[in-house]
Amino acid sequence: MKLESLKHRASKKALIAVSIVGMFAGVCAIPAGAVAAKTIASKGLVYIIPKDTTNPYEVIADNGVKAALKTEGWRGVVDSGTTDTAAAQEPAIQAAIAAKASAIVIAANDPKALCPELEKARRAKITIIGFDSDNYCAGNLFINQANTQEIGASEVDLLAGEINDTGQIAILSAAATATNQNAWIGYMKQELTKFPNISLVATVYGNDDPTVSLTVLQGLLTQYPNLAGIISPTTVGISTAAQYLSTHESQYSNLILTGLGLPSQMGTYTGNDNVKAFELWNPFDLGSLAGWAAMEIHSGVVQNKVGATFTIPAKGTKLVEAKSWTVTKAIAGSGDPSNFVTLGAPFVFTAANVKNFNF
Amino acid sequence: MPLVAISSPLESNEEVPAPLDRHSLAFGAHSLVRWESALVLFFIFDLFYGGFTAPDFFSQNTIFFAGINFGLIAIMALPEMLIITTGEIDLSVAAMLGLSCASFGYLFEHHVEVFLAMILTLGVGAVGGALNGFLVTRVGLPSIAVTIGTLTMFRGLAEVILGTNEVTGFGGPWTDVGTNTIPGTPFAWAFGIFVVLALIYGVVLHFTSTGRSIFAIGLQEEAAFFSGIRVKRIKFNLYLISGIVCAFVGLLYTYETNTARYDAGTGLELNVVAIVLFGGISIFGGRGSLLGVVLSVIAVGIFDQILSIKNVSSQEQSIVFGILLLASVVLPNSARGYRALRKRFGPGSYTSAGVPESTV
Amino acid sequence: MSVTEEVITSEPVKTHRVAETLSRARELAIVAVILVIFAITTIKSPGFAHLTSIQQVMTNASLFTLLAVGETMVIVTRNVDLSVGSTLGISAFLVGDYFTHNAHASIVIAFLIGIGVGAFCGAAIGLIVTVTKVPSLVVSLAALYIIRGILNIIGLGIQIEPTAIPLSFQKIGFETFAGIPWIFIIPALVALGVGFSMRSFRSMRELYAIGSNPGAAQLAGVPVARRVFTAFVVSGSLAGLGGVLFLSEFATVNATAGSGYELLVVASCVIGGVAIFGGSGTVIGAALGAILLQIINQSLVVINVSPFWDSALAGALILVTVSFDRLLSNRATLALRLKGSAARGN
């Protein structure tokens, strides 16, 4: 990895200059040395490797990728395991290599465990695009659903506003090893230093299993009867908690719940005593953007270099709000060698808007 | 314990006569109709099916990937096979993999010299295996209950050791063992290790007195005991070896993914048991051959790879695997049942008239 | 591999009494452990001694209690059913699907669908086990993969949403009757009912006979195949009922519901004193075992022990209880043998 960044350093200045011009002109960045703007290849095959093949959230994102690919006549194949393990994703990467795929769009179940396999794919000239959950592997461009720091911080801000900046709060997470969860929780803790009257009393792990989530939630409620708020940055956790609180409203009417949830699952609860607002992004848009990134980078329209920008052709704007994205570095100190593209700010769902979404 | 001997004759299954000869003969004329033959047919089917329908099937990649994906399960299947042959079971294999992975990660993170850390990790495996063995043989507990307990406990200890922590950056010369081929061949190291271990296990099981004792224990534990076989010691050693081998697999896993985390290999125990059973090993013990397990591993490993290349979804793969597993016990059983019916039709033939054999 | 309960003595009545005392002692021991855990937790965190906590333990234990009851019936016949988690999942999903696609869905029909789906799965396994005489461990392991595979295909990417689940149905999951959650009353009644009939009805007692010695049971005229088949159907039906309760509790379900429950259920039975090789153990014991596993989970969170210790302690507990069990039954065997020889001496 080090070697590579050294190699790139030489051409970096030139690139930034080119890309800035590109940004103002509103067209795609022209890679250094290219004669004219390239176009997306007429066909290609993309392996979409979600965390698992059955999770509704992942399926929406997969459909987003497929929709983007279809616009350009590309083909998308979804391949992963039924459980969220890195081991189940390895065969999918190998299948992509065997099928001579153009690109892999992957939501890694482990940041580093897949690197040996992905490295083989990269050597086979397959473009690697990460989305939803990042892999810390060389040559990867990660399509981030929202700025990691912003997700963590905004959830704390959201909750703080609802509990008047005071009280005990707790976090109900997924598995103890979930990369994105731990990254968000890290930034939540950082943001909490701004609120001296809020104390984070516990972080519990529900393993994205409703039964386990409920057990640890009840433990929390028993141990901290004065709990003012809970942040659950996982769809299983927040929906389980919302169901329990809404069915025991009389006991917990002063407890505020927020986090990351699907509007379809949370619609029933939003606006009751416990759930005022929660956040998420549009998983379909996230998938689409990953699909476009895969096609454009593989075709050489854009290069995976810090400062490059890319846009989506007009025919694709139905899928993702038309605008341009800039490739940035990963957050300093995270140890992530990937480059980042951030979809946008997390969207806040409230009782007023939650019914307008169907995912 | 001796009390049980009273009821033993009633439970004798139809395979009792001359079991030892059957198994010490590696290949006989009757082997043509054995389950192993079916597995060979399955393997040949694999080659045709893969060759005609999967793109790039006959490539080095297929062989290598099948080895990488299936190698770890395959290696754990070997000690499991011996344990099942004695009529016991070890459900803690994958949890031991996880505990080994976590222990090694912890030691590595605390700058213990790599080779020493590996030895210590294998030591953890030995202790875990010995615990299983002790509880099963000395305390006399049912192995399925013991190993469900240690499964939960080993995985729990792994979680205590590493928690949310994830250790990475192992590097060094060992990485090749996890991620590359054996130099000059298309085979993954895991596959090579499997072959070597399988040879050792095969020789021990089919050509030594220890091996014959293992079958004898599985067929009739009390009879084996009274004929002077050190039942408890053999079983204890098998669990001990199983612990060490699974800890070793944990090391391989760590190097294959360059990552140590507590949930490594979660849920693989049932896959390991399933692959052993698919190899024609009887869950009651006493029946089966190592060749069966080797063929089962290779045939299923390659079949898996074909389904992967063909992009058969993993949910469909699990159905296919379930049906294969079912077929592997139903088909031979029906054939055996038919033979037994013909041979033993008459008074006292209750075993062929609808009594389910004991099951666990 | 030995099963101590296979002893045949000259005094069946006394045997019966000793066995009874044994299982009674076993159940009391679990109750004692539950109380100790409850007491320790309360000392550490006084808020625990509250009706709410008790209700929570009951709610959380309900599904496993139900599954453990069915599993006990199967294990007692010297079989095992590893498919219960998958069966619970497919039942929960199909009932959810029924609510989603029927605006005027009936709760009674929902229960019938859930139990029916479960009974079907159980019957399929029971049929294969009894007709082909293939070990049930293998059959139910295969069924685990097949049922989950089918569920993953029909439920691909679908999340049954709480809006689709009628409130009256959800109330089963959270309303209480005389302070006891309905979701616990159902499994408790099932456990008491099955427990009573396994003590009192000949056909159910025959399950123990089969588990103690299938050959002898067959010779004694017990319709072995039919009884084993019934045990699997009951186990499947209860897993199906578990699926219905799962949906009423969480009001949302996807294809992963119930994954990995199978070994926990077997563990509950083992902790509850059900001999894994059949022939002994009670439904009530198994239900208590399930409750014990749940209360451990919950009290660890409450007394603020790192949640990472959860599995390690649960595993140690399983080992301790089965060892304890062995100790008890060794003593009982000794007592029986002494009595037997005394009787012969007379």
Side-chain angles (χ1 to χ4, degrees):
Chain A
M1 191 51 231
K2 249 182 197 152
L3 244 172
E4 203 171 61
S5 53
L6 278 177
K7 247 193 297 178
H8 291 160
R9 195 163 289 166
S11 58
K12 206 167 162 190
K13 272 184 190 159
L15 252 170
I16 291 173
V18 171
S19 59
I20 288 171
V21 173
M23 242 193 297
F24 282 116
V27 296
C28 311
I30 302 160
V35 185
K38 289 186 181 172
T39 52
I40 292 174
S42 62
K43 62 174 186 177
L45 170 67
V46 176
Y47 263 67
I48 305 162
I49 308 178
K51 293 179 123 186
D52 63 68
T53 52
T54 56
N55 181 315
Y57 167 88
E58 298 285 329
V59 171
I60 297 166
D62 299 342
N63 290 338
V65 183
K66 281 190 194 159
L69 296 177
K70 208 176 153 199
T71 339
E72 293 289 333
W74 283 41
R75 205 157 64 86
V77 170
V78 179
D79 194 354
S80 185
T82 50
T83 51
D84 289 3
T85 61
Q89 291 183 312
E90 275 185 25
I93 300 172
Q94 295 158 0
I97 298 173
K100 300 195 167 55
S102 320
I104 288 173
V105 173
I106 181 166
N109 283 327
D110 187 295
K112 288 169 187 157
L114 291 165
C115 289
E117 290 303 318
L118 284 175
E119 180 58 27
K120 281 176 206 142
R122 206 169 65 94
R123 273 192 245 129
K125 303 260 182 294
I126 298 177
T127 303
I128 314 288
I129 304 289
F131 80 131
D132 185 44
S133 180
D134 196 14
N135 61 79
Y136 289 14
C137 309
N140 172 51
L141 175 66
F142 178 54
I143 311 296
N144 201 356
Q145 44 269 61
N147 183 317
T148 311
Q149 184 167 9
E150 203 178 330
I151 295 174
S154 65
E155 283 173 53
V156 169
D157 294 343
L158 204 58
L159 184 63
E162 292 167 3
I163 60 172
N164 299 322
D165 299 353
T166 34
Q168 295 179 325
I169 66 161
I171 296 169
L172 171 58
S173 176
T177 43
T179 326
N180 48 8
Q181 295 281 322
N182 289 334
W184 294 330
I185 292 172
Y187 286 112
M188 285 180 203
K189 288 179 178 162
Q190 195 178 312
E191 182 73 7
L192 277 169
T193 55
K194 294 182 191 163
F195 301 95
N197 294 328
I198 297 182
S199 58
L200 175 66
V201 291
T203 303
V204 291
Y205 302 93
N207 293 342
D208 266 354
D209 176 315
T211 5
V212 182
S213 302
L214 185 61
T215 308
V216 295
L217 169 76
Q218 292 171 338
L220 268 182
L221 296 175
T222 311
Q223 197 195 355
Y224 304 103
N226 300 321
L227 210 56
I230 294 174
I231 302 176
S232 184
T234 155
T235 55
V236 177
I238 195 172
S239 67
T240 306
Q243 168 74 3
Y244 185 75
L245 295 177
S246 76
T247 54
H248 296 76
E249 245 177 340
S250 55
Q251 283 165 19
Y252 305 111
S253 56
N254 296 322
L255 179 58
I256 299 292
L257 173 70
T258 188
L260 301 175
L262 288 167
S264 59
Q265 262 183 303
M266 295 297 291
T268 326
Y269 314 112
T270 315
N272 70 11
D273 281 354
N274 308 110
V275 185
K276 305 294 178 206
F278 61 95
E279 297 184 329
L280 201 68
W281 42 89
N282 188 331
F284 190 88
D285 284 359
L286 178 67
S288 301
L289 187 54
W292 287 111
M295 292 190 289
E296 297 193 5
I297 290 181
H298 187 76
S299 313
V301 177
V302 194
Q303 298 222 327
N304 176 15
K305 303 253 166 74
V306 171
T309 64
F310 69 96
T311 55
I312 286 173
K315 55 183 168 179
T317 52
K318 268 183 202 152
L319 301 170
V320 188
E321 192 193 339
K323 68 171 200 177
S324 68
W325 288 267
T326 307
V327 178
T328 62
K329 271 198 161 117
I331 303 151
S334 63
D336 185 351
S338 314
N339 290 333
F340 272 46
V341 163
T342 302
L343 178 67
F347 187 83
V348 178
F349 297 92
T350 60
N353 65 20
V354 71
K355 305 278 185 217
N356 306 336
F357 299 90
N358 62 353
F359 58 84
Chain B
M1 190 86 59
L3 278 171
V4 184
I6 299 166
S7 63
S8 294
L10 278 174
E11 289 190 276
S12 66
N13 60 43
E14 55 230 56
E15 298 290 329
V16 170
L20 299 185
D21 297 14
R22 238 179 71 99
H23 293 290
S24 47
L25 290 172
F27 299 96
H30 62 281
S31 70
L32 283 174
V33 292
R34 282 164 41 165
W35 177 245
E36 284 85 336
S37 324
L39 288 172
V40 171
L41 285 178
F42 183 39
F43 176 66
I44 294 170
F45 161 79
D46 268 357
L47 298 183
F48 278 97
Y49 179 58
F52 282 113
T53 65
D56 263 348
F57 174 69
F58 289 108
S59 70
Q60 300 208 336
N61 271 350
T62 309
I63 300 171
F64 173 62
F65 287 153
I68 277 268
N69 294 339
F70 227 69
L72 303 186
I73 294 180
I75 297 173
M76 289 194 287
L78 294 172
E80 184 76 76
M81 183 249 169
L82 293 200
I83 290 175
I84 293 182
T85 306
T86 65
E88 304 288 349
I89 197 165
D90 185 355
L91 291 176
S92 69
V93 285
M96 179 45 81
L97 186 163
L99 178 57
S100 145
C101 200
S103 314
F104 184 60
Y106 179 84
L107 293 170
F108 182 83
E109 202 181 23
H110 288 73
H111 308 293
V112 176
E113 202 267 319
V114 173
F115 191 68
L116 179 64
M118 287 182 171
I119 300 294
L120 289 175
T121 306
L122 294 180
V124 169
V127 171
L131 176 66
N132 277 334
F134 175 79
L135 291 172
V136 172
T137 60
R138 302 295 155 179
V139 186
L141 302 176
S143 56
I144 191 167
V146 167
T147 55
I148 285 179
T150 48
L151 173 163
T152 322
M153 196 170 80
F154 293 164
R155 182 67 69 190
L157 289 175
E159 197 175 353
V160 171
I161 292 173
L162 279 190
T164 60
N165 195 359
E166 190 173 73
V167 184
T168 183
F170 291 91
W174 297 99
T175 313
D176 269 2
V177 177
T179 55
N180 276 333
T181 56
I182 302 173
T185 70
F187 299 111
W189 276 95
F191 182 75
I193 293 166
F194 167 72
V195 170
V196 172
L197 282 178
L199 280 174
I200 298 172
Y201 272 86
V203 169
V204 170
L205 187 62
H206 293 293
F207 299 101
T208 67
S209 62
T210 313
R212 277 189 288 278
S213 305
I214 289 172
F215 279 113
I217 295 171
L219 281 170
Q220 255 301 342
E221 184 168 335
E222 284 71 30
F225 176 74
F226 287 123
S227 63
I229 293 173
R230 310 187 75 159
V231 174
K232 287 184 179 177
R233 174 176 293 190
I234 287 178
K235 280 190 183 175
F236 180 87
N237 287 340
L238 290 182
Y239 276 104
L240 183 71
I241 293 168
S242 175
I244 297 172
V245 169
C246 294
F248 176 71
V249 172
L251 294 177
L252 277 179
Y253 186 97
T254 311
Y255 275 104
E256 189 182 311
T257 59
N258 194 19
T259 310
R261 44 193 285 169
Y262 83 85
D263 57 358
T266 302
L268 285 187
E269 56 275 345
L270 293 184
N271 295 27
V272 172
V273 172
I275 204 76
V276 170
L277 298 179
F278 189 65
I281 310 302
S282 161
I283 191 75
F284 312 121
R287 220 164 42 214
S289 77
L290 196 98
L291 183 67
V293 173
V294 172
L295 287 170
S296 152
V297 160
I298 293 176
V300 175
I302 291 184
F303 187 61
D304 231 35
Q305 203 57 34
I306 297 171
L307 294 184
S308 249
I309 297 175
K310 287 171 62 72
N311 193 35
V312 172
S313 71
S314 46
Q315 47 270 33
E316 283 155 352
Q317 284 189 29
S318 81
I319 296 181
V320 171
F321 187 63
I323 292 173
L324 279 178
L325 180 59
L326 205 53
S328 78
V329 284
V330 170
L331 294 181
N333 234 44
S334 315
R336 209 160 36 232
Y338 175 70
R339 277 201 302 271
L341 260 174
R342 272 196 358 192
K343 203 163 68 184
R344 301 181 56 168
F345 200 68
S349 64
Y350 64 89
T351 39
S352 52
V355 183
E357 293 184 59
S358 68
T359 325
V360 183
Chain C
M1 283 297 246
S2 63
V3 182
T4 34
E5 279 70 32
E6 281 176 11
V7 189
I8 303 156
T9 71
S10 50
E11 280 197 289
V13 183
K14 273 191 183 165
T15 319
H16 185 72
R17 214 171 284 154
V18 174
E20 191 101 310
T21 322
L22 185 68
S23 62
R24 194 62 50 74
R26 194 68 181 69
E27 285 156 23
L28 286 176
I30 301 172
V31 172
V33 176
I34 291 176
L35 290 178
V36 167
I37 292 178
F38 192 84
I40 294 175
T41 314
T42 309
I43 292 167
K44 285 262 186 179
S45 172
F48 196 62
H50 192 270
L51 182 64
T52 315
S53 309
I54 300 167
Q55 286 175 344
Q56 287 170 352
V57 172
M58 289 173 171
T59 308
N60 293 339
S62 64
L63 294 179
F64 285 101
T65 306
L66 200 58
L67 297 179
V69 170
E71 190 71 62
T72 304
M73 277 185 71
V74 174
I75 293 182
V76 156
T77 66
R78 201 180 282 196
N79 283 287
V80 72
D81 184 357
L82 292 181
S83 72
V84 285
S86 298
T87 306
L88 180 141
I90 202 165
S91 152
F93 187 85
L94 290 178
V95 174
D97 196 55
Y98 164 72
F99 279 125
T100 311
H101 293 109
N102 291 281
H104 305 290
S106 137
I107 293 179
V108 175
I109 293 180
F111 270 89
L112 290 180
I113 291 176
I115 296 171
V117 168
F120 179 80
C121 295
I125 298 168
L127 204 64
I128 296 174
V129 168
T130 49
V131 169
T132 65
K133 286 170 241 149
V134 162
S136 58
L137 186 134
V138 190
V139 177
S140 62
L141 183 59
L144 177 157
Y145 291 118
I146 295 173
I147 297 172
R148 180 67 62 188
I150 293 171
L151 173 56
N152 277 330
I153 288 173
I154 57 176
L156 185 69
I158 301 171
Q159 180 89 39
I160 303 291
E161 291 154 15
T163 37
I165 312 299
L167 189 64
S168 51
F169 178 71
Q170 291 184 33
K171 279 184 177 166
I172 300 166
F174 64 85
E175 291 227 316
T176 58
F177 174 77
I180 306 171
W182 276 108
I183 196 168
F184 185 73
I185 293 178
I186 297 171
L189 287 180
V190 169
L192 289 175
V194 175
F196 176 76
S197 44
M198 284 181 81
R199 266 177 56 115
S200 313
F201 298 146
R202 189 198 158 114
S203 57
M204 297 286 267
R205 290 206 61 83
E206 283 172 356
L207 295 177
Y208 289 103
I210 296 167
S212 296
N213 196 323
Q218 179 87 16
L219 289 176
V222 175
V224 173
R226 202 192 306 161
R227 296 280 177 266
V228 171
F229 177 77
T230 313
F232 275 100
V233 173
V234 172
S235 170
S237 310
L238 292 183
L241 177 60
V244 181
L245 296 185
F246 182 99
L247 185 66
S248 76
E249 185 179 359
F250 298 107
T252 177
V253 59
N254 62 26
T256 60
S259 304
Y261 282 16
E262 50 281 339
L263 292 184
L264 276 177
V265 172
V266 176
S268 299
C269 294
V270 168
I271 291 179
V274 179
I276 201 78
F277 293 119
S280 86
T282 65
V283 164
I284 303 298
L288 287 170
I291 294 173
L292 178 56
L293 268 188
Q294 282 307 311
I295 200 174
I296 292 176
N297 283 347
Q298 204 147 334
S299 53
L300 283 180
V301 184
V302 174
I303 62 178
N304 213 2
V305 170
S306 153
F308 303 136
W309 278 96
D310 187 10
S311 311
L313 287 179
L317 183 86
I318 296 174
L319 296 179
V320 169
T321 46
V322 286
S323 307
F324 177 73
D325 211 28
R326 166 61 40 150
L327 197 76
L328 269 186
S329 64
N330 277 352
R331 287 207 168 166
T333 313
L334 201 67
L336 281 172
R337 211 188 290 170
L338 289 176
K339 267 184 197 157
S341 54
R344 268 193 293 276
N346 290 343

